[in-house]
Amino acid sequence: MGTRINSFEEYLQEYKRSVDDPESFWGRQAESYTWTKKWDRVLGWDFVKPDVKWFSGGKLNITENCLDRHLSARASQQALIWEPNNPAEKGRSLTYRELYEEVCRFANVLRNNGAKKGDRICIYMPMVPELAIAVLACARIGAIHSVVFAGFASGSLSSRIDDAQCSMVITADGGYRGAKEIALKAIVDDALAKCVSVKRVIVYKRTGSPVQMAEGRDTWWHDEAAKADTRNTAEVMDAEDMLFILYTSGSTGKPKGVVHTCGGYMVYADYTFRNVFQYNEGDVFWCTADVGWVTGHSYLVYGPLLAGATTLMFEGIPTWPDAGRFWQVIDKYKVNIFYTAPTAIRSLEAMGPDFVKPYRLDSLRVLGTVGEPINEEAWQWYHENIGKGKCPIVDTWWQTETGGIMISPLAGITPLKPGFATLPLPGVQPALLDENGKELEGNGVEGRLCMKFPWPGIIRTTYGDHERCRAAYFDTYKGYYFTGDGCRRDEDGYYRITGRVDDVIKVSGHLLGTAEIENALNQHADIVESAVVGFPHPIKGSGIYAFVILEHERKDEEALKKEALETVNKIMGPFARPDKIQVVRGLPKTRSGKIMRRILRKIAGGDASNLGDTSTLLDPAVVEDIKAEAQ
Ligand code: 7RM
């Protein structure tokens, strides 16, 4: 296994080395893996096209590094522990040998069902071990997985399946989330009515609720698994072959299929996992993210398994049967490292101390957060009540597009400042740019966060549309990767992420494009136009505020709002439902017809006293009307 940084001095040294000579730095990190053939060249890059290649000429299979490589030393160590939604149900666990065998078996199932290298396979599953098995089995045969979070509704699912032209969907009959049961297979059936590329659907039985099986298309996981054995030869992949696609929201309505490749992603997920969390042999690591998001890909599945760790997967939600569920699971499995989102921390803090008190939490050594800025109050609560004042908190900043953590403390090594993601990891070269694209030198500056040099986990393309990748990330500031975030570098050189500077918002840690929500709202027969903005929300980070224009007046405005919520729910899923809907007669537009979102954001945030320069407004009276009825 790879080594790890052990002191702050060592971090500073490693950082300097990684900048002075990135190729030998990352070449050294890559040495510790099983390569079928070693790479010819560590790095080739061009941020204009963009074109980035890591370890080109290298051949490998990431699952041999997650599984086969560990069999000699840790075959009987637990690889994956699974805790079900309902605490009354028995959990499961798989050792490295068992996980290896199940992945091989399911890889054979995929091949038996016609899947091959390069095919795109959509995975739409609840949080059960078979989700991780499906992901790894795809990687084993060289099929490109596209995991879609099982909270997405059929509209979002079908557009993702269609965009990637998936030939197969792996799903389950249903899933549990707290007291709710979700009929996943029915959602897939609905989505597939519009997707002609899908030839096969493999269905894992989780709930046992009745489902419809389409003759010639659908087949049961257990029937297929019974026919497959556990010997499987991994497909040999080029380092730059695609490993997965993961859709993420952008400023336009259409989600982007972020593409990661085999070699660089592997090295980066593992390196960041070991160093940020300061993983020790034998630790139990729990990342609460769903595998449907990038955090679940990199720090529930790939990172921990590459490092030979024990990873915990939890099917349920933090507040069911009660708000002590996370803390109970930590005690039950003696979790050492716990990684969650600020929104979860805030919602559990709000439930009061009685839900924490019954638990010891003394196995914890490191705490982590991800997904949005963590406010100081939540940080302190987490530190005192969960970490008992003795666990460092790693506030990890990164993105779907970065593949792994970019700016973060190393646990117990980097001196902390609440609210700061602190310092870039070795290999990460941030730059803050002003609005004219000028790089801000020195400390005590604030600007747009960019990267001026590639790291192995960087996005390679957006699936099927390279131009979109270029335009979204490499065009705003020539020669830089642009993150979409604002950021401050303080007097000590510490980084504090201030939030998105574009039209995407973070709602309960989920990245949502406001245009995507607008498109969904506009599907309602009575809504002609809408504008969606975020507003500060004490628990969710960002709430969703929708301004809608109706075709004709509706006397029953409350009923209209309910229908609008249901429309979003049906197309996107429950997490995208607006918190507030305001019916308006017009939107604040410039003479050229552009909506002035800045004004709507101010009104939604309850701060309409000073709207700034409104001289370009076509009809200022519209703004007065909106202000008068703002919620
Ligand atoms: C991992 C993930 C990416 C966006 C990113 C930021 C925000 C993530 C932090 C954060 C402040 C953090 N991927 N973000 N981590 N903001 N502090 N520690 O969340 O693609 O879904 O979102 O999330 O705005 O650009 S993501």
Side-chain angles (χ1 to χ4, degrees):
M1 289 330 93
T3 51
R4 185 199 86 166
I5 295 167
N6 286 305
S7 66
F8 194 60
E9 293 65 48
E10 206 185 317
Y11 158 74
L12 294 172
Q13 263 173 25
E14 283 282 277
Y15 188 79
K16 186 166 184 315
R17 270 188 220 143
S18 76
V19 174
D20 291 347
D21 188 353
E23 296 202 32
S24 62
F25 176 81
W26 287 114
R28 194 155 24 91
Q29 300 307 327
E31 294 285 350
S32 55
Y33 303 93
T34 303
W35 294 86
T36 313
K37 177 184 167 289
K38 208 178 151 172
W39 56 91
D40 304 318
R41 187 174 176 204
V42 174
L43 171 65
W45 70 289
D46 172 346
F47 268 4
V48 175
K49 284 180 183 156
D51 178 21
V52 180
K53 290 190 170 69
W54 283 93
F55 312 112
S56 53
K59 292 190 186 294
L60 77 159
N61 186 290
I62 195 169
T63 72
E64 289 192 319
N65 287 287
C66 290
L67 301 168
D68 313 42
R69 185 169 59 119
H70 298 313
L71 292 181
S72 58
R74 52 181 94 244
S76 55
Q77 179 198 313
Q78 285 180 344
L80 186 130
I81 298 173
W82 178 70
E83 172 67 15
N85 177 58
N86 188 337
E89 188 185 338
K90 233 169 95 64
R92 288 162 60 191
S93 68
L94 290 97
T95 63
Y96 268 92
R97 170 161 301 282
E98 288 164 342
L99 183 59
Y100 161 78
E101 288 180 351
E102 291 315 312
V103 168
C104 288
R105 189 196 308 278
F106 198 66
N108 289 329
V109 167
L110 294 177
R111 281 187 179 143
N112 292 344
N113 281 276
K116 56 180 191 315
K117 178 175 174 174
D119 288 357
R120 278 81 54 218
I121 298 184
C122 173
I123 302 177
Y124 184 71
M125 299 264 286
M127 284 277 281
V128 293
E130 283 68 19
L131 166 53
I133 292 167
V135 163
L136 293 165
C138 286
R140 192 150 185 105
I141 67 162
I144 301 159
H145 56 76
S146 168
V147 184
V148 177
F149 171 55
F152 276 112
S154 67
S156 298
L157 176 60
S158 72
S159 61
R160 284 160 175 76
I161 291 173
D162 200 50
D163 187 78
Q165 288 290 292
C166 294
S167 57
M168 193 186 277
V169 177
I170 305 168
T171 188
D173 49 358
Y176 299 113
R177 269 183 75 77
K180 292 199 197 96
E181 185 179 324
I182 298 140
L184 297 176
K185 176 61 165 63
I187 298 171
V188 170
D189 290 341
D190 203 28
L192 290 191
K194 293 166 223 134
C195 300
V196 291
S197 59
V198 174
K199 303 285 178 282
R200 183 71 85 234
V201 178
I202 302 182
V203 187
Y204 176 72
K205 189 177 265 185
R206 170 68 184 113
T207 61
S209 295
V211 294
Q212 280 177 10
M213 298 291 278
E215 180 87 44
R217 186 194 73 183
D218 302 353
T219 182
W220 287 103
W221 178 302
H222 56 263
D223 288 340
E224 295 296 324
K227 291 183 266 177
D229 75 19
T230 60
R231 276 164 309 178
N232 176 278
T233 308
E235 190 75 32
V236 178
M237 305 294 284
D238 286 341
E240 283 296 340
D241 278 340
M242 287 187 201
L243 173 62
F244 66 83
I245 305 170
L246 187 56
Y247 284 86
T248 191
S249 301
S251 333
T252 66
K254 197 170 170 267
K256 295 176 283 212
V258 173
V259 170
H260 286 288
T261 57
C262 297
Y265 176 81
M266 171 180 79
V267 171
Y268 201 66
D270 184 22
Y271 179 79
T272 52
F273 172 76
R274 284 183 280 109
N275 283 286
V276 169
F277 299 105
Q278 290 288 298
Y279 165 72
N280 285 335
E281 194 66 30
D283 280 346
V284 176
F285 177 84
W286 181 16
C287 164
T288 66
D290 194 286
V291 176
W293 309 111
V294 75
T295 306
H297 280 61
S298 299
Y299 301 109
L300 196 158
V301 181
Y302 286 113
L305 295 177
L306 286 162
T310 298
T311 184
L312 190 134
M313 175 191 261
F314 174 49
E315 183 183 31
I317 59 171
T319 48
W320 190 83
D322 65 47
R325 187 70 167 120
F326 272 4
W327 323 130
Q328 181 228 338
V329 172
I330 289 173
D331 275 6
K332 179 170 177 185
Y333 296 104
K334 309 220 173 328
V335 171
N336 305 107
I337 310 173
F338 178 66
Y339 189 33
T340 196
T343 188
I345 297 165
R346 288 190 297 261
S347 74
L348 295 175
E349 176 186 1
M351 305 297 259
D354 289 353
F355 292 102
V356 187
K357 279 195 191 121
Y359 305 103
R360 299 175 59 89
L361 303 177
D362 55 350
S363 56
L364 289 172
R365 199 182 77 243
V366 173
L367 301 175
T369 69
V370 59
E372 54 182 315
I374 180 163
N375 48 307
E376 174 127 19
E377 198 206 322
W379 195 99
Q380 295 297 354
W381 184 84
Y382 195 32
H383 191 249
E384 292 313 313
N385 294 273
I386 307 307
K388 311 295 178 196
K390 66 178 175 51
C391 301
I393 297 177
V394 290
D395 175 353
T396 65
W397 175 86
W398 61 296
Q399 310 179 292
T400 304
E401 296 86 345
T402 69
I405 298 166
M406 299 285 282
I407 303 180
S408 168
L410 306 182
I413 289 178
T414 310
L416 304 176
K417 270 191 208 182
F420 284 76
T422 75
L423 298 170
L425 298 188
V428 173
Q429 299 189 36
L432 300 185
L433 272 61
D434 71 12
E435 265 157 64
N436 307 316
K438 202 169 105 9
E439 190 171 334
L440 302 164
E441 307 284 346
N443 293 337
V445 290
E446 185 165 342
R448 308 277 161 104
L449 179 61
C450 296
M451 297 293 154
K452 52 183 169 190
F453 198 86
W455 61 100
I458 190 175
I459 179 176
R460 299 302 195 274
T461 190
T462 45
Y463 190 82
D465 190 352
H466 192 63
E467 168 54 20
R468 190 150 181 226
C469 174
R470 193 194 64 78
Y473 308 105
F474 297 91
D475 195 43
T476 319
Y477 303 108
K478 297 282 178 298
Y480 294 86
Y481 166 84
F482 174 45
T483 65
D485 282 319
C487 181
R488 184 179 153 69
R489 185 166 55 221
D490 77 356
E491 311 305 331
D492 298 327
Y494 268 42
Y495 290 80
R496 181 194 190 104
I497 312 300
T498 51
R500 302 292 308 189
V501 296
D502 53 8
D503 291 324
V504 298
I505 51 180
K506 269 280 170 144
V507 182
S508 299
H510 301 154
L511 193 78
L512 291 175
T514 52
E516 224 177 325
I517 306 171
E518 289 164 7
N519 289 345
L521 283 166
N522 297 348
Q523 299 289 308
H524 187 286
D526 292 349
I527 296 177
V528 281
E529 194 179 359
S530 57
V532 169
V533 295
F535 67 96
H537 186 286
I539 305 283
K540 298 163 84 172
S542 218
I544 305 173
Y545 198 126
F547 300 88
V548 300
I549 302 177
L550 301 186
E551 175 91 46
H552 46 76
E553 197 187 333
R554 287 249 322 229
K555 294 269 178 286
D556 54 342
E557 220 170 74
E558 285 314 305
L560 174 273
K561 287 181 187 175
K562 277 212 181 101
E563 293 161 23
L565 288 182
E566 187 45 32
T567 305
V568 176
N569 187 35
K570 265 248 132 103
I571 296 168
M572 291 187 67
F575 58 91
R577 279 182 311 210
D579 299 274
K580 295 178 182 178
I581 299 180
Q582 183 180 345
V583 176
V584 296
R585 86 178 155 81
L587 291 164
K589 288 189 179 170
T590 61
R591 277 178 204 98
S592 58
K594 222 174 147 244
I595 297 173
M596 291 179 78
R597 287 168 188 282
R598 181 175 56 80
I599 291 178
L600 294 177
R601 276 194 285 268
K602 284 235 161 177
I603 295 173
D607 173 27
S609 52
N610 175 18
L611 293 178
D613 180 9
T614 54
S615 60
T616 54
L617 271 176
L618 180 64
D619 177 5
V622 161
V623 175
E624 293 312 312
D625 287 0
I626 299 178
K627 268 165 72 175
E629 290 187 25
Q631 296 161 19

